[in-house]
Amino acid sequence: MNIQPIVTHHFVKSEDLNHHGTLFAGRTAEWFVEAGLMSAAVYLPPENIVCVKIHGMNFRRPIPLGAVVELVSRAVLAGRTSVVSHIRLTLQGEEVLDGFITFVNVGKDGRPAPHGLTLEASTPEEQALQERAGSLPRD
């Protein structure tokens, strides 16, 4: 299957801020995981998807109150039972954060189950993301 980007937006409100008055990393993590889940749910039933690892959220600068952030998520690599999604957060076109999340497809018993999914990169950017995802530690 082709890789399909999912785009979401969030408005940074006062309840999203940390003690410095900028976007709280915990709220960002919530949005990050949610965006990654949506990209995996394009291909698999959401009730079968569980998050097993966040492979980093690398912030490049703080995000202020009132900002509208865009998250672009893509499921970029499929294993036998896993799916790795890449999430990029931008503010006014500037990349502020990116990282990967590994999800696992589970059966009714909660154990990993094969999903039969194959993801095909069709652009150089998607190929680069697949290569990065393939080199992530699998511990």
Side-chain angles (χ1 to χ4, degrees), residues 30-41:
E30 178 184 343
W31 295 346
F32 188 83
V33 172
E34 179 183 63
L37 175 64
M38 285 188 270
S39 68

Side-chain angles (χ1 to χ4, degrees), residues 86-97:
H86 175 261
I87 301 91
R88 174 178 290 131
L89 184 148
T90 60
L91 174 59
Q92 299 175 333
E94 176 190 353
E95 184 176 296
V96 177
L97 174 137

Side-chain angles (χ1 to χ4, degrees), residues 118-135:
T118 301
L119 295 171
E120 297 177 19
S122 58
T123 67
E125 179 186 16
E126 290 172 354
Q127 291 170 344
L129 290 173
Q130 275 190 339
E131 287 175 18
R132 285 178 59 198
S135 68

Side-chain angles (χ1 to χ4, degrees), residues 74-88:
R74 293 177 173 98
V76 295
L77 186 66
R80 191 175 73 79
T81 63
S82 65
V83 174
V84 179
S85 294
H86 175 261
I87 301 91
R88 174 178 290 131

Side-chain angles (χ1 to χ4, degrees), residues 34-128:
E34 179 183 63
L37 175 64
M38 285 188 270
S39 68
V42 166
Y43 308 100
L44 303 172
E47 62 272 14
N48 294 9
I49 303 169
V50 296
C51 176
V52 294
K53 185 167 187 169
I54 296 174
H55 301 275
M57 289 183 10
N58 304 310
F59 287 89
R60 289 167 182 77
R61 71 176 188 85
I63 301 171
L65 175 66
V68 176
V69 297
E70 177 180 88
L71 292 103
V72 177
S73 56
R74 293 177 173 98
V76 295
L77 186 66
R80 191 175 73 79
T81 63
S82 65
V83 174
V84 179
S85 294
H86 175 261
I87 301 91
R88 174 178 290 131
L89 184 148
T90 60
L91 174 59
Q92 299 175 333
E94 176 190 353
E95 184 176 296
V96 177
L97 174 137
D98 84 318
F100 292 89
I101 301 176
T102 297
F103 297 95
V104 170
N105 183 64
V106 297
K108 292 186 187 298
D109 61 357
R111 305 208 28 96
H115 49 56
L117 178 64
T118 301
L119 295 171
E120 297 177 19
S122 58
T123 67
E125 179 186 16
E126 290 172 354
Q127 291 170 344

